[in-house]
Amino acid sequence: MTLPALLPHATGSAVTGAYTRLAEVFPGLRAQVLTDDETAPGGAGWVGAQELAAGGAALDAFLAWDHAQVLRDYGQQPRPDVVASFGLHRYAWPACLLVTVPWFLHRRVPRIPVQDVAFQRALGHLTVRVREFACLPDDPAAALPGARVVPDEAALRAEVLTAVADHIGPVLDGFGPRMRRGRRALWGMATDEIVEGLWYIAHLLGEERRAMAELEALLPGTTKPYVGSAGFRELTGPDGEPLPTRDRASCCLFYTLRPEDTCVTCPRTCDTDRVRKLAAAR
């Protein structure tokens, strides 16, 4: 494990470097850490995670974007639960990265309650206020305000799961009534967002295999309220090459729009189709 040699800059945050690296490899998403005297943005497409969790007019406006996108791109009237599933994915995927990327890169786990995160989906811009983070004893950032030292990697993994659950749990409460899914299915979606988000970013970082191993240790399949494990397995391509894949714990419902074009990790996609799609992508 490589740790930063120096403390973060006095005006920065323990997680700023991780978010900077995220934007470098995935320019479509930018996460900004707010200082104590900065106000979270509002208006012009911004929504607070707390507003999504409340499940009211702000969530209606958020999901109207997904409804319009389906009509525009697929020419179909989507079911309300499909729209809600798309909207949840489009929020939860980047929100989980706020926790998992600092953990993966620097072994720092921020706590991000819903009142401290805002999202502008059209710009791919998140803001977050980090008041507290967990780290290991040998991390130089352990001397920073808000640091909470945990003894080892297992304890840090527990911090990751708790931090995500504390944030995503209220959001699931907001989306849940619109999704026609039980709690187990909703937490299966949360499991998938954790795994697939970091897996994708790690691929861009050139560290896909390390991420797979770390995610398997993070989510072995026995940690409540999460449902299912990281679910990785390996297929063999037409030239004998290994093709990593996984089995999702949930379904994104894209098949309701394009039954013939399921996602490569969808439980509905057979291994033959997975090999064809993965080989073509590579």
Side-chain angles (χ1 to χ4, degrees), residues 10 14 36 130-133 141-148:
D36 290 341
V130 178
R131 307 175 194 271
E132 178 185 349
F133 67 96
L144 291 175
R148 188 161 43 81

Side-chain angles (χ1 to χ4, degrees), residues 240-260:
E241 71 276 24
L243 298 174
T245 188
R246 70 176 296 265
D247 296 311
R248 290 177 57 91
S250 68
C251 179
C252 70
L253 302 183
F254 183 70
Y255 78 91
T256 63
L257 302 177
R258 289 289 186 273
E260 72 285 355

